[in-house]
Amino acid sequence: IGFPVAVKMLNPLLAHKTEAGAVTLNLTSAEQVSQAAAAIRERVAAKAPDALCDRFLVETMVGPPVAELLVSVRADAQFGLAMTLASGGILTELAGDAVTLLLPADRSEFERAIGRLKAVRLIDGYRGQAGGNREVVVDCLVRLADHAVVNRHEVGLIEINPLLVLADGVCAVDALVSLSADATEQRRTPNMAATTELDTAS
């Protein structure tokens, strides 16, 4: 697949890989990939020993991004489905930059939500830097929301962090998807976990 690449350990117990040291980025050779896998094993063994395994994902690096977003769809017992948009990546907890809207929502509501984020300045091109396409970001959010609404009885949580906003599109790097309690009970088999982790690209 070429270089640079990212390496990630894959285990349903590693919902937040960065915190467990289960990710290494920007590797430029096969030797670095091998060394990264060994180093990841050591870090996970120290920080999350129950999650230690020998399954790794090697992905092509994407970017550099214009901005990073967190997109979360959660089923709330009182309000139903809600989508939260926030600055993503390492800024998620530092920036305090988030907007929540109830689903279903129309396109104009997504446009207003994006416009309320501080990160929109990066998407629009901050201080002369190259920007992304806000309309493409909104298209992505609308499609995700429509999917969640259609499958509302099965959705427990969909979290994409980060959703990379690129100069020519968007890319969901990591997604954590959990079924609702009812859907989990209906689908449970001896070989099926309630939480599925999806990695698409770095």
Side-chain angles (χ1 to χ4, degrees), residues 33-170:
V33 170
S34 179
Q35 292 171 349
I40 287 172
R41 281 188 52 81
E42 291 182 6
R43 292 195 297 266
V44 173
K47 296 181 180 181
D50 291 344
L52 186 63
C53 68
D54 288 315
R55 296 181 65 229
F56 292 88
L57 180 67
V58 180
E59 301 175 300
T60 300
M61 292 291 297
V62 173
V66 170
E68 298 184 25
L69 299 177
L70 177 146
V71 183
S72 174
V73 178
R74 188 180 301 272
D76 182 89
Q78 182 175 358
F79 298 106
L81 290 177
M83 176 181 283
T84 298
L85 312 175
S87 295
I90 61 173
L91 294 178
T92 298
E93 296 179 0
L94 295 178
D97 184 24
V99 178
T100 299
L101 62 163
L102 299 180
L103 302 180
D106 61 36
R107 185 179 183 87
S108 65
E109 292 178 89
F110 291 107
E111 292 171 345
R112 287 195 296 272
I114 285 289
R116 290 169 56 193
L117 292 176
K118 298 174 187 175
V120 75
R121 299 169 70 186
L122 297 174
I123 297 172
D124 290 344
Y126 184 61
R127 291 191 174 181
Q129 298 297 311
N133 187 326
R134 199 193 298 198
E135 291 302 306
V136 172
V137 178
V138 173
D139 289 342
C140 175
L141 299 179
V142 168
R143 290 196 301 271
L144 176 61
D146 288 347
H147 174 80
V149 169
V150 169
N151 297 280
R152 64 170 64 240
H153 299 298
E154 296 189 337
V155 173
L157 170 69
I158 302 172
E159 182 176 287
I160 301 171
N161 186 26
L163 176 70
L164 299 185
V165 181
L166 307 170
D168 57 354
V170 295

Side-chain angles (χ1 to χ4, degrees), residues 8-18 20 22 44 48-57 157 174-179 188 190-199:
K8 305 174 182 180
M9 182 177 284
L10 291 184
N11 189 316
L13 297 177
L14 290 171
H16 302 287
K17 297 185 189 67
T18 302
V44 173
D50 291 344
L52 186 63
C53 68
D54 288 315
R55 296 181 65 229
F56 292 88
L57 180 67
L157 170 69
D174 288 300
L176 182 66
V177 180
S178 297
L179 297 174
R188 190 179 299 280
N191 296 318
M192 185 174 190
T195 300
T196 301
E197 192 173 328
L198 306 176
D199 287 277

